[in-house]
Amino acid sequence: MVKFASYFLIAAMVFICIASAADARRVALVIGNSDYTHATTLPNPANDARDLATAFTRLGYQVELVEDATRADLLDALRGFRARSIGAEHAIIYYAGHGVEIDRQNFVIPVDAELKADIDVEYEAVPLDLLVAATSGARDLQLVVLDACRDNPFLAQMTRTLSTRSIGRGLAIYEPDGNSLVAYSAREGTVALDGTGQNSPYAMAFLSALERPGLEIGQFFRQVRDAVIRQTNGQQEPFLYGSLSAEPVFFKPDAASVTPAPQAAAPAQRGTDASADTLLAIDLAFWQSIKDSDQPSDFEDYLSRFPNGQFLPLAQRRLAALKAPQEPARSAVREPEASPPASAVPAATPKPDPLPEPLRLSRSEARDLQARLNILGYSAGVEDGIVGRRTMRAVAEYKSTRAMPLEDQIDAALMAWIAAEVPSTRLAAYRDAKRPATPSTPAPAAAPKPKAQTAAKPAPAPRVETKPAASSGNLAGFVGRSYCRSKGGQVLNGRNLSDRPIWCITVLSLSDAQIRYRVSQRQSAGQPLNQSVFTRNRTGTRTYGPVRLAASGSGSLTANGSPFVASQIYR
């Protein structure tokens, strides 16, 4: 139970309490991608983003508006927003533009994406996981809204490198963890309409409901859904994924949701002339000190001290929930303990917000974390699944470059962020590249069938082992070499490529039947390389799927019709 003296300590630290009230901030990141370089322009996302940014600002949110974002712009905006969302009350990301689903993974598409092949998505688009992770620092509401299921022009031109890889129409089902929501403008597998007016049907419904006072978030999204279905004559149905706690969440509370200030019966009667702001701060500080308590007496104390407090409904529900399961066998009021006089009580310091809960990784999860850190260039050492000093040093370096909190621990936000940067397909390719090739063993020759002896014959000549016929041309010269070109299309040869935007192919093994090669890409100068390993069977003369080897020497090859030349600098 909260002691009577603790109340006066809280009142004495009123300015600290007011500062705590200021931490109940709300942040929003609004993104509108309209002007695509390699696709037709979408007329409405920019309008939607501007109108929503204005509306969120009117509601008191700290808003960042990003228009026509490249991939680098999106990653920078998400990294900054992740830092700003820590400790916030609400963290909301609203994205309007193109999106795509590949193998049940969802991506938003920057304006500079080209997406010639399905394998380009991981290097040119941004995964939905990264948007969700960027909101994970907020306390009460972590929300990502995607008006991104529009008919996608990239799909018609996209080459499929694997016949088993699925490319969806619309977005796939997404189930977020924790206190998070993900809202789609059109349910999974369907296409949203861009609309003929200034805003898309979904943005129009969202804006219409956003500033209605007293609309709890569950009711808010139901009203948005019904409005969109009416506007589109049933052609488009929004959908919401995730769940929240029982605590109500409002974009715009009304007078019945939050009582503005304690009345005269509140403890401010104790000989003070406190202002309304001071009373609110005292009320807030008292509530923060008990809101996670499991003692009914703490909430009874709050109700007696603040009969008209701003957290009155929450305190009543919390008290009812604590008493509902069973009546305690003993009194809920603890016996008072002997305590020193008030003058001897040390000054209490306000409790900081609790840190995210550290994870206990399994050996397999730890090995995956170490491998992902190594892929990104943070040396985590041997991938043995033992999280030691070297692994934690790599974690600290990773966090410091992404403006993440530097606590010496591994939490869910870190794991989600790094898994989004190194998806499972890239991790598997990295491990395939490290795994030594197993030499194939020729099948033993079948023993000759015994024949009936009719007459003595001379002993057969000793068997001579024959080698398979050599392939046309010298394939060995390609193995171990790297072939490069710039991301802009310029062929590169004999230049320092360590800090250039490049695309390189390294031949790892080669035979008449099959090629195994690594693709290394750097989107812009100074960024780390993204690498994937592929195996392709021969489909023609010196041709293995998209790769065709030069007929004269091993100095060049072509991939997807583009020339690559051998580089002596790149390794």
Side-chain angles (χ1 to χ4, degrees):
M1 185 181 69
V2 176
K3 298 290 187 296
F4 187 79
S6 67
Y7 169 72
F8 289 102
L9 291 171
I10 293 172
M13 302 180 69
V14 66
F15 290 106
I16 297 177
C17 295
I18 293 173
S20 298
D23 285 341
R25 56 197 165 82
R26 301 176 171 192
V27 294
L29 172 62
V30 183
I31 304 164
N33 281 354
S34 285
D35 191 10
Y36 282 85
T37 305
H38 302 286
T40 55
T41 298
L42 289 172
N44 281 337
N47 297 332
D48 297 344
R50 294 180 197 127
D51 292 345
L52 282 156
T54 302
F56 277 121
T57 301
R58 284 196 298 265
L59 292 173
Y61 284 79
Q62 300 173 15
V63 180
E64 179 183 1
L65 172 62
V66 179
E67 297 186 45
D68 295 330
T70 65
R71 188 174 190 272
D73 294 336
L74 274 176
L75 293 177
D76 286 344
L78 291 173
R79 183 180 296 117
F81 186 75
R82 174 69 180 88
R84 292 194 302 278
S85 72
I86 296 172
E89 182 182 357
H90 294 181
I92 300 172
I93 297 178
Y94 191 106
Y95 172 85
H98 280 308
V100 68
E101 175 260 312
I102 302 286
D103 278 346
R104 311 303 295 169
Q105 286 188 298
N106 300 310
F107 298 84
V108 298
I109 303 179
V111 295
D112 60 345
E114 195 168 1
L115 302 184
K116 288 185 176 180
D118 51 8
I119 59 173
D120 295 330
V121 171
E122 291 182 358
Y123 305 108
E124 297 181 13
V126 175
L128 172 58
D129 289 338
L130 210 55
L131 277 70
V132 174
T135 67
S136 62
R139 298 192 308 271
D140 297 340
L141 175 62
Q142 304 159 17
L143 171 65
V144 176
V145 182
L146 296 182
D147 191 1
C149 311
R150 294 165 167 85
D151 195 15
N152 198 326
F154 293 96
L155 299 185
Q157 67 189 31
M158 189 180 292
T159 302
R160 297 195 185 193
T161 58
L162 289 176
S163 59
T164 57
R165 176 168 286 162
S166 66
I167 302 178
R169 183 175 184 265
L171 299 176
I173 294 174
Y174 188 92
E175 294 296 345
D177 297 325
N179 212 34
S180 300
L181 296 176
V182 174
Y184 286 1
S185 61
R187 68 178 306 147
E188 72 282 354
T190 65
V191 174
L193 305 178
D194 199 42
T196 57
Q198 175 174 322
N199 300 113
S200 73
Y202 186 79
M204 191 181 305
F206 199 98
L207 285 163
S208 175
L210 185 60
E211 297 182 78
R212 292 176 191 164
L215 195 59
E216 207 278 330
I217 194 166
Q219 184 66 24
F220 169 87
F221 278 109
R222 287 194 288 274
Q223 290 192 12
V224 170
R225 172 191 176 275
D226 292 349
V228 172
I229 291 175
R230 284 196 304 270
Q231 288 181 53
T232 62
N233 294 320
Q235 297 181 61
Q236 179 178 336
E237 179 188 0
F239 212 82
L240 183 66
Y241 300 95
S243 61
L244 296 176
S245 68
E247 301 289 345
V249 176
F250 302 91
F251 292 119
K252 185 177 183 178
D254 62 4
S257 305
V258 177
T259 305
Q263 299 295 322
Q269 285 183 336
R270 301 176 184 274
T272 66
D273 294 323
S275 66
D277 285 344
T278 300
L279 297 175
L280 282 171
I282 296 172
D283 186 355
L284 173 64
F286 195 102
W287 174 255
Q288 287 181 331
S289 69
I290 68 165
K291 65 179 183 179
D292 297 320
S293 172
D294 58 359
Q295 297 297 324
S297 58
D298 290 349
F299 298 94
E300 291 171 343
D301 196 12
Y302 176 86
L303 294 172
S304 67
R305 294 173 185 274
F306 300 92
N308 296 299
Q310 55 185 325
F311 301 102
L312 179 65
L314 300 182
Q316 290 172 334
R317 282 195 294 272
R318 180 67 172 150
L319 180 60
L322 289 173
K323 287 187 172 183
Q326 60 182 12
E327 196 66 30
R330 58 182 178 83
S331 171
V333 180
R334 300 176 182 172
E335 290 297 325
E337 301 174 1
S339 58
S343 59
V345 177
T349 56
K351 296 180 180 179
D353 289 337
L355 297 176
E357 189 70 21
L359 296 180
R360 295 180 63 87
L361 300 182
S362 67
R363 195 74 174 265
S364 174
E365 290 169 333
R367 278 195 293 267
D368 288 349
L369 173 62
Q370 291 166 331
R372 286 183 164 103
L373 288 167
N374 285 334
I375 290 171
L376 294 174
Y378 301 93
S379 179
V382 178
E383 296 157 18
D384 55 5
I386 300 174
V387 180
R389 284 182 296 178
R390 189 165 182 179
T391 300
M392 293 309 299
R393 186 165 60 246
V395 167
E397 291 174 0
Y398 175 86
K399 287 184 173 184
S400 67
T401 59
R402 284 157 177 76
M404 299 178 72
L406 297 180
E407 300 93 25
D408 188 20
Q409 66 181 33
I410 298 170
D411 54 35
L414 168 71
M415 296 297 287
W417 191 277
I418 196 169
E421 287 196 55
V422 183
S424 56
T425 53
R426 185 176 172 192
L427 180 62
Y430 163 79
R431 285 177 169 155
D432 286 344
K434 291 182 63 178
R435 189 176 295 118
T438 304
S440 58
T441 304
K449 295 181 180 179
K451 296 182 181 179
Q453 289 187 345
T454 56
K457 293 184 179 179
R463 184 180 177 189
V464 179
E465 294 289 339
T466 59
K467 297 182 179 179
S471 62
S472 58
N474 179 21
L475 301 182
F478 289 92
V479 178
R481 302 190 74 175
S482 295
Y483 301 84
C484 299
R485 66 186 281 108
S486 73
K487 291 298 287 184
Q490 178 188 5
V491 174
L492 302 174
N493 184 21
R495 301 179 64 176
N496 185 353
L497 308 182
S498 61
D499 62 349
R500 292 173 60 87
I502 56 170
W503 182 12
C504 292
I505 296 175
T506 303
V507 180
L508 303 176
S509 63
L510 181 61
S511 68
D512 270 349
Q514 195 175 75
I515 188 174
R516 187 164 175 267
Y517 60 93
R518 180 176 62 239
V519 176
S520 305
Q521 295 189 70
R522 181 183 291 112
Q523 296 293 331
S524 59
Q527 288 190 351
L529 285 171
N530 294 314
Q531 296 183 326
S532 300
V533 175
F534 301 92
T535 301
R536 297 287 182 265
N537 294 326
R538 194 174 81 173
T539 55
T541 304
R542 305 176 72 84
T543 303
Y544 302 80
V547 176
R548 180 175 176 81
L549 307 179
S552 57
S554 56
S556 65
L557 55 80
T558 60
N560 292 325
S562 300
F564 290 70
V565 299
S567 168
Q568 302 300 323
I569 303 298
Y570 173 76
R571 290 290 181 270

